[in-house]
Amino acid sequence: MPVYEIIVIIFMLSFIGSLFTGYPIAWLLGGLSLLVGSTALVLNGIGVDTFLLTGWQKFGSIIDRIDSVMSNWVLVSLPMFVYMGLMLDRSGVAELMMMNFVKVFGRLRGGLAITVILIGVILAASTGIVGASVVLLATLSIPIMMQSRYSKELSAGVVAASGTLGILIPPSIMLVLMADQISVSVGDLFMGALIPGVMLGVMYIVYVILVGIFTPSKVPPPPDAPPLTGKEIWQAVLATVPTASLILAVLGAIFFGIATPTEASGIGAFGATLLAAINKKLDLKVVRQVGRETTLTTCFIFGIFIGATIFAFVLRMLGGDELIADALKGLPFGPNGIVIFILFISFIAGFFLDWLEIVLIILPLVAPVIKALNFDMVWFLVVLAVMLQTSFLTPPVGFSLFYLKGVVPKEITTKHIYVGIIPFVIIQLLAVVLCFVFPEIITWLPKKMYG
């Protein structure tokens, strides 16, 4: 085995092992990459003096890579979408929708859970911030479901799963990063992910209905509920108008070519601020909090982005991308089998890594193989995005589980949460299978809109 292949294997194993140290992953990516790259240049027969002259010249191009990341026009939309989501969570529109939706659906068996899913879908199409959505949904709905004697497992599972829809349904920051990494159109990815995202929400609702049919004690209807009136239905419809208008302004501007994703993110940020002002939720304290959280989230994303850029550069310098591509192409599975293998690896990685690390580390390594096999990249990226939904729900690093546990009442234990998310992880895997077997679920809308 050539020396460079040994170094690549040691590099990958060292990175995987270092993840369990708990050290910030951005520093692990950058620091380990520089250490291994320097060692590889020395072991390659370059003397120390020559290395100081030529080795760092090669490393110098890393600065150009980082500069291109920080000046990327597409990535400018990330902080704006983050701001939009955080400000919308404070605008009061979710509380208004929950109050009116409960009046309409809460009188049905399983209606409270269906309400959470519907609001989760609407929030996903307007915020895209999973942590904020999970916390908001849990705060608004868990006390009501507990009061109505809903199953603790089902209540926790519904909230966690509905909150994660924001990472798939556009405008999604994950799709923006995927588009940038693989150089595909953000608009095409948004179009391709729209139907699978809504489909996943519908599958959640079907599951709740089936639970109501076969185990009605888990989702009891409220006793002595008054008859539903047309006024209550109309109020529920009106409650969705502000959020629906924001969704139409952002996604409509992108889909119909009126604005780029970056420009549309600015529209969304302004619209969310306007809604907060209209609902009298906007003040200096809110602006300061949202600005601070937006800055922290953006710095977190770009910190990992820079570390992953250095990691990818060193790995490519060592020939690691070719080694991984040859290894994947050498699998005796055929093209579809290779895609399934990549999806399986991504699913397992989701137990230990956040979606961000998977997108920035694993995706650039496997994308050239997918292109070489002549698969539609929009289709593959959306299938992968659906699979990465599971990373929020699978322990030990399921972030939605952490968010949820931090705000639920004490009577809902970690065991209740873990048991509750199992059916929804299975539903997400079923959605991956459907998108894989029927690619038109993803490709139909982009072709219909853009030909």
Side-chain angles (χ1 to χ4, degrees):
M1 180 180 290
V3 175
Y4 83 91
E5 292 185 0
I6 298 175
I7 296 175
V8 168
I9 294 173
I10 294 175
F11 184 24
M12 298 296 293
L13 292 177
S14 299
F15 170 68
I16 294 172
S18 64
L19 291 174
F20 297 96
T21 65
Y23 206 72
I25 193 167
W27 297 110
L28 287 176
L29 284 168
L32 190 62
S33 300
L34 292 175
L35 177 62
V36 172
S38 303
T39 304
L41 286 172
V42 173
L43 292 177
N44 198 38
I46 300 178
V48 175
D49 293 337
T50 309
F51 168 72
L52 292 174
L53 292 174
T54 62
W56 287 109
Q57 289 177 0
K58 293 184 178 180
F59 277 128
S61 58
I62 292 178
I63 304 301
D64 296 331
R65 297 287 188 91
I66 294 174
D67 180 69
S68 66
V69 168
M70 302 307 293
S71 60
N72 190 316
W73 175 246
V74 175
L75 296 181
V76 174
S77 64
L78 284 180
M80 302 300 286
F81 279 134
V82 172
Y83 174 93
M84 168 184 163
L86 294 172
M87 182 59 77
L88 196 68
D89 284 335
R90 287 166 171 78
S91 67
V93 294
E95 291 91 334
L96 184 62
M97 285 191 294
M98 177 65 74
M99 181 179 65
N100 286 281
F101 277 33
V102 166
K103 292 179 182 178
V104 175
F105 298 102
R107 66 193 69 233
L108 306 175
R109 186 178 297 278
L112 293 177
I114 293 173
T115 296
V116 172
I117 296 169
L118 290 174
I119 294 179
V121 171
I122 295 172
L123 287 178
S126 53
T127 66
I129 309 299
V130 170
S133 296
V134 171
V135 171
L136 184 61
L137 288 174
T139 304
L140 294 176
S141 66
I142 291 290
I144 300 175
M145 288 193 281
M146 292 296 94
Q147 185 179 359
S148 300
R149 304 186 310 279
Y150 269 54
S151 162
K152 296 176 183 176
E153 292 84 359
L154 179 68
S155 301
V158 164
V159 171
S162 301
T164 63
L165 290 172
I167 208 64
L168 176 63
I169 297 178
S172 160
I173 59 176
M174 178 169 69
L175 297 178
V176 173
L177 284 177
M178 283 182 164
D180 176 74
Q181 288 286 288
I182 312 302
S183 299
V184 300
S185 167
V186 177
D188 285 349
L189 271 189
F190 279 6
M191 279 285 189
L194 188 59
I195 292 178
V198 174
M199 179 187 73
L200 200 53
V202 172
M203 293 172 72
Y204 291 165
I205 293 175
V206 171
Y207 168 71
V208 171
I209 293 173
L210 292 177
V211 169
I213 294 173
F214 293 105
T215 54
S217 61
K218 292 185 176 181
V219 286
D224 303 323
L228 181 64
T229 64
K231 181 181 179 181
E232 291 173 335
I233 297 175
W234 179 243
Q235 287 176 338
V237 172
L238 288 180
T240 64
V241 170
T243 309
S245 300
L246 184 63
I247 295 170
L248 181 63
V250 176
L251 296 184
I254 297 172
F255 290 166
F256 295 104
I258 301 173
T260 66
T262 303
E263 294 164 343
S265 67
I267 296 173
F270 174 76
T273 306
L274 187 62
L275 288 179
I278 292 173
N279 291 333
K280 299 181 180 179
K281 299 284 186 177
L282 186 66
D283 55 30
L284 187 59
K285 181 180 178 181
V286 169
V287 173
R288 187 185 297 113
Q289 289 176 344
V290 171
R292 184 175 184 274
E293 292 180 31
T294 300
T295 302
L296 290 174
T297 303
T298 304
C299 290
F300 169 75
I301 292 173
F302 275 87
I304 297 179
F305 213 140
I306 291 171
T309 299
I310 300 172
F311 179 87
F313 175 84
V314 172
L315 193 67
R316 187 167 292 112
M317 187 178 70
L318 295 172
D321 53 343
E322 296 178 3
L323 178 63
I324 294 172
D326 291 340
L328 289 174
K329 292 177 182 178
L331 293 173
F333 301 144
N336 286 335
I338 291 174
V339 174
I340 293 172
F341 178 78
I342 292 172
L343 293 174
F344 174 75
I345 293 298
S346 301
F347 174 68
I348 298 300
F351 282 80
F352 308 101
L353 295 174
D354 189 19
W355 67 268
L356 186 57
E357 288 88 20
I358 297 174
V359 168
L360 297 179
I361 299 170
I362 297 179
L363 180 58
L365 298 177
V366 302
V369 178
I370 301 299
K371 289 180 181 179
L373 295 174
N374 294 320
F375 283 102
D376 186 320
M377 287 307 298
V378 171
W379 168 81
F380 172 74
L381 291 176
V382 174
V383 172
L384 181 62
V386 178
M387 178 62 81
L388 292 183
Q389 286 261 110
T390 61
S391 68
F392 283 93
L393 301 181
T394 48
V397 192
F399 282 98
S400 289
L401 310 183
F402 295 137
Y403 298 138
L404 184 60
K405 181 57 181 171
V407 295
V408 294
K410 293 182 179 179
E411 56 264 30
I412 296 182
T413 65
T414 301
K415 181 180 178 181
H416 290 137
I417 295 174
Y418 281 2
V419 173
I421 56 94
I422 292 175
F424 293 95
V425 172
I426 294 173
I427 291 172
Q428 289 177 346
L429 293 176
L430 178 59
V432 173
V433 173
L434 291 175
C435 291
F436 186 90
V437 176
F438 304 103
E440 294 81 9
I441 295 175
I442 297 170
T443 59
W444 178 79
L445 190 57
K447 289 181 180 178
K448 194 72 174 178
M449 290 296 296
Y450 303 128

